[in-house]
Amino acid sequence: MTSKTKLLMTTDAVGGVWTYALDLAASLAPMGIETTLAVMGPPPSPAQRLQAREVKGLALIETGLALDWTAAGPREVLVAGKVISDLARMLSSDLVQLNSPAMAAGAIFPCPIIGVCHSCLATWWSSVRSGPAPEDFRWRTMLMGNGLTACDLLAAPSRAFALQIAAAYGVAAPRVVHNGRSPRPTGSFKQPIILASGRLWDEGKNVGVLDRAAALCKAPVFAAGPLQAPTGAARVEPRNIVNLGLLSTASLDSWLARSRIYVSTALYEPFGLGVLEAAQSGCALVLADIPTFRELWDGAALFADPRSPEAFARCFDELIEDEASADFLGAKAEARAARFSPERMARAMLGLFRAARSRVEEGAAA
């Protein structure tokens, strides 16, 4: 890569992809990659815009374009992809990273495309629901499949999710590039607090099981994150969890620093940035026994059946009553988290950028 390599990367401001994109852009900058971030869907908040301004050399473009999972129909997704391809042409981008690969479904890009799979409705449905998917899931899945095929290279944040993508769409398994985060503050004194975080309204987060577990355990359970989807279509109303709402990064870090236990009851999780942040803060992890969490955290967490509130409550009580065990488990989680740095993520993505450019150049010469 030259010192002037221009990367156009899509993101949204709704969930973890925003955090991922900022961390990646910041870590790529010293490696000679200049990033323009094209924001899809709802606009960033003032706090998020401030975060973006703090990333050296990052340019932010708020497109107002539809996200693939909130679009009213396929045309909105196809139009969004065309606008992004035109933007890449206007900016003379050397590379495009689509954090929503469906955007490649109907557009011709002027440079290599790397599709990064953070989640998708087909794999969400197979993990959370059963039976035939609804019509709006089917056309979104079709566009995702077409987009995956159109990308020059694919990446996913865990091997478990890469295999899910391959099975759902009949493509080669994406290359695995683990997400990374800079270390979070670690509290000197952990309190008997159980914390969860994320998009609580998402059925895949399985908050109903956590809420029932909260009624059975001996310590309070707090959850940071929105209870309602941006579209208003989904909402949860927990009775036993104390909802903290949408916290700033600093506020969430403060909660993580003093929480003894972090929990995720998720049925579906391609990676889990919230879990990584908690591990970096030395929280003891209690996680749903799903393939992604086993892959990333086996030996550094307790696991419970994601359908069993009783199993989670038993884990909570065990760690609340035995501080030494909780501290030991938190230390193991913090040590494991060191594997997932933004610098390592950026180096791996840099390798994919080079591979994508070589593949395109070889194809053009053939």
Side-chain angles (χ1 to χ4, degrees), residues 249-268:
T249 299
S251 294
L252 180 57
D253 284 345
S254 177
W255 274 93
L256 289 170
R258 64 179 184 269
S259 296
R260 185 172 300 163
I261 298 169
Y262 181 89
V263 57
S264 175
T265 52
L267 295 166
Y268 174 74

Side-chain angles (χ1 to χ4, degrees), residues 188-209:
S188 58
F189 177 70
K190 291 290 189 181
Q191 301 173 30
I193 293 172
I194 302 162
L195 182 67
S197 65
R199 299 186 301 189
L200 307 178
W201 53 266
D202 182 348
E203 192 177 344
K205 303 303 182 186
N206 201 23
V207 170
V209 164

Side-chain angles (χ1 to χ4, degrees), residues 262-312:
Y262 181 89
V263 57
S264 175
T265 52
L267 295 166
Y268 174 74
E269 190 60 83
F271 181 82
L273 274 178
V275 177
L276 174 55
E277 291 173 346
Q280 291 174 326
S281 294
C283 299
L285 303 179
V286 178
L287 306 176
D289 198 351
I290 60 174
T292 302
F293 288 157
R294 278 288 181 182
E295 173 191 337
L296 301 174
W297 301 104
D298 199 17
L302 295 183
F303 294 91
D305 180 350
R307 305 285 185 180
S308 173
E310 295 80 9
F312 279 97

Side-chain angles (χ1 to χ4, degrees), residues 148-356:
L148 292 171
T149 302
C151 290
D152 296 299
L153 277 178
L154 300 174
S158 64
R159 176 167 174 76
F161 184 53
L163 294 176
Q164 273 191 297
I165 289 289
Y169 296 99
V171 297
R175 302 190 189 189
V176 178
V177 178
H178 294 135
N179 291 344
R181 285 289 274 145
S182 297
R184 319 315 299 161
T186 301
S188 58
F189 177 70
K190 291 290 189 181
Q191 301 173 30
I193 293 172
I194 302 162
L195 182 67
S197 65
R199 299 186 301 189
L200 307 178
W201 53 266
D202 182 348
E203 192 177 344
K205 303 303 182 186
N206 201 23
V207 170
V209 164
L210 179 59
D211 193 45
R212 294 195 293 276
L216 301 173
C217 66
K218 299 175 181 178
V221 178
F222 297 86
L227 298 176
Q228 184 166 327
T231 60
R235 182 177 176 84
V236 294
E237 297 284 356
R239 297 181 178 181
N240 306 298
I241 296 169
V242 180
N243 181 238
L244 302 172
L246 188 59
L247 300 180
S248 68
T249 299
S251 294
L252 180 57
D253 284 345
S254 177
W255 274 93
L256 289 170
R258 64 179 184 269
S259 296
R260 185 172 300 163
I261 298 169
Y262 181 89
V263 57
S264 175
T265 52
L267 295 166
Y268 174 74
E269 190 60 83
F271 181 82
L273 274 178
V275 177
L276 174 55
E277 291 173 346
Q280 291 174 326
S281 294
C283 299
L285 303 179
V286 178
L287 306 176
D289 198 351
I290 60 174
T292 302
F293 288 157
R294 278 288 181 182
E295 173 191 337
L296 301 174
W297 301 104
D298 199 17
L302 295 183
F303 294 91
D305 180 350
R307 305 285 185 180
S308 173
E310 295 80 9
F312 279 97
R314 285 194 296 271
C315 291
F316 297 159
D317 287 347
E318 174 185 334
L319 294 173
I320 290 296
E321 293 171 359
D322 188 344
E323 291 186 28
S325 292
D327 290 344
F328 179 71
L329 193 62
K332 293 182 74 173
E334 189 174 357
R336 177 69 57 84
R339 300 179 183 180
F340 307 117
S341 70
E343 294 77 19
R344 182 174 292 185
M345 171 179 66
R347 286 195 298 271
M349 288 305 300
L350 189 64
L352 289 193
F353 295 162
R354 289 172 171 151

Side-chain angles (χ1 to χ4, degrees), residues 84-90 92-94 96 108-113:
I84 295 300
S85 68
D86 289 344
L87 184 59
R89 200 168 283 108
M90 182 185 75
S92 300
S93 300
D94 298 302
V96 172
I108 298 175
F109 284 79
C111 55
I113 318 166

